[in-house]
């Protein structure tokens, strides 16, 4: 069992390099449920970006495999509504065989919720209005904007030789890109790149090392197209200044 766990951990560690913004079919997600069943473990599915899929692959919730393995699904109102800071979410259990209930996991979650602080009252008060009165057109517009800015982001990144985008995003609002230090002078880590970029160009990107992905950057494209264009232009200027001199 130890060897199996090591292999699974290694596979999932490699997988997360490319998971940001990627869409996966049911045939890809199904083996995850089957593997969890074989190992006798539950699955925690973070699906806060489930409604922000805009690629050719439809979003597949892990919840459809609830009959195979017990699931905890995480959701959030702040991502779909594009309202950062509205810290309100939910947990949904898929447990037709009662495994989570019998093992005490559901009771543990309830106890934790009883001792943790609730969202601010004004946020709770806004939720009914958000859920009942937000038109579908609002969400469709968000998807259209994200699709446009994702395309623009990937196209403009091609103009920056030290950055490689392995895959165009199909969802969420972020893309992970790889850094090539051999094309830069005086920059030897993703943290150093991010700090200098912020200082010199007032552009903020997340160093991959902060989420366990050394030599990568996380870039958000959930901004107005004109602002994204400006930010990527500054990143290109930053590269031009720090490019290795031949």
């Amino acid at each position: 069992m130890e060897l199996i766990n090591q292999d699974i951990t290694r596979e999932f560690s490699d997988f997360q390099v490319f998971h940001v913004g990627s869409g996966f079919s049911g045939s890809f997600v199904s083996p995850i449920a089957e593997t969890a069943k074989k190992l006798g473990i539950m699955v925690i599915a973070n699906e806060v970006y489930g409604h922000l899929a805009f690629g050719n692959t439809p979003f597949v919730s892990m919840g459809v495999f609830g009959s195979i393995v017990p699931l905890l699904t995480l959701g959030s109102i702040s991502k779909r509504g594009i309202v950062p800071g509205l810290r309100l979410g939910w947990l949904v259990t898929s447990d037709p065989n009662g495994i989570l209930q019998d093992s005490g996991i559901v009771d543990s979650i309830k106890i934790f919720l009883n001792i943790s602080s609730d969202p601010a009252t004004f946020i709770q008060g806004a939720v009914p209005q958000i859920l009942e009165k937000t038109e579908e057109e609002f969400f469709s517009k968000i998807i259209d904007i994200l699709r446009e800015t994702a395309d623009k982001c990937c196209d403009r990144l091609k103009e920056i030789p030290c950055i490689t985008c392995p895959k165009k995003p199909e969802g969420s609002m972020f893309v992970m890109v790889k850094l090539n230090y051999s094309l830069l002078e005086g920059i030897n880590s993703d943290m150093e790149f991010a700090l200098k970029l912020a200082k010199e160009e007032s552009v903020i990107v997340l160093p991959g090392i902060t989420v366990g992905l050394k030599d990568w950057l996380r870039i958000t494209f959930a901004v107005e197209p004109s602002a994204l264009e400006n930010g990527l232009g500054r990143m290109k200027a930053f590269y031009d200044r720090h490019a290795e001199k031949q």
Side-chain angles (χ1 to χ4, degrees):
M1 181 63 73
E2 181 62 22
L3 290 177
I4 293 177
N5 281 335
Q6 288 179 356
D7 290 341
I8 293 296
T9 300
R10 188 178 303 113
E11 290 176 11
F12 276 71
S13 177
D14 292 341
F15 161 72
Q16 71 173 333
V17 172
F18 300 104
H19 89 285
V20 177
S22 296
F24 298 105
S25 64
S27 61
F28 181 95
V29 179
S30 178
I32 297 177
E34 294 290 352
T35 300
K37 179 181 179 181
K38 178 192 292 188
L39 297 176
I41 59 178
M42 63 183 290
V43 172
I44 300 176
N46 183 353
E47 299 185 356
V48 297
Y49 294 105
H51 295 286
L52 296 181
F54 47 79
N56 296 323
T57 305
F59 170 70
V60 178
S61 171
M62 281 297 298
V64 302
F65 304 105
S67 61
I68 298 176
V69 63
L71 296 165
L72 275 181
T73 302
L74 284 64
S76 169
I77 202 170
S78 65
K79 301 300 187 293
R80 190 185 189 197
I82 312 295
V83 280
L86 198 65
R87 297 300 181 186
L88 193 146
W90 52 86
L91 288 173
V92 178
T93 61
S94 301
D95 186 31
N97 298 315
I99 297 175
L100 298 179
Q101 185 68 54
D102 294 342
S103 63
I105 291 178
V106 172
D107 289 336
S108 295
I109 293 173
K110 291 179 178 178
I111 291 172
F112 175 77
L113 292 176
N114 287 335
I115 64 175
S116 65
S117 58
D118 292 323
T121 53
F122 73 89
I123 292 178
Q124 296 183 53
V127 171
Q129 297 285 328
I130 293 173
L131 296 180
E132 295 173 5
K133 297 187 178 181
T134 304
E135 301 290 339
E136 187 60 36
E137 180 182 358
F138 170 80
F139 299 114
S140 299
K141 184 177 180 180
I142 288 176
I143 294 296
D144 290 340
I145 292 174
L146 290 176
R147 184 184 295 111
E148 176 188 351
T149 53
D151 289 343
K152 183 183 294 291
C153 185
C154 291
D155 289 342
R156 288 300 307 273
L157 287 174
K158 294 176 183 177
E159 303 172 5
I160 308 175
C162 68
I163 293 178
T164 301
C165 179
K167 190 177 188 298
K168 182 179 291 188
E170 297 179 323
S172 81
M173 56 185 73
F174 306 106
V175 61
M176 296 299 296
V177 297
K178 189 78 167 66
L179 274 176
N180 182 355
Y181 304 119
S182 67
L183 300 178
L184 298 168
E185 285 190 349
I187 296 178
N188 300 297
S189 72
D190 49 19
M191 181 65 73
E192 191 173 3
F193 183 98
L195 290 174
K196 288 188 175 182
L197 179 64
K199 183 178 180 179
E200 297 178 20
E201 295 290 347
S202 298
V203 173
I204 305 297
V205 296
L206 183 74
I209 190 67
T210 61
V211 290
L213 299 175
K214 183 181 178 183
D215 302 335
W216 291 72
L217 299 172
R218 191 183 78 172
I219 299 174
T220 180
F221 49 84
V223 294
E224 289 292 333
S226 59
L228 180 64
E229 185 80 29
N230 181 274
L232 293 171
R234 295 187 184 196
M235 289 184 68
K236 175 62 165 59
F238 178 82
Y239 163 76
D240 290 340
R241 280 198 309 278
H242 292 276
E244 182 183 37
K245 305 299 186 294
Q246 299 298 324

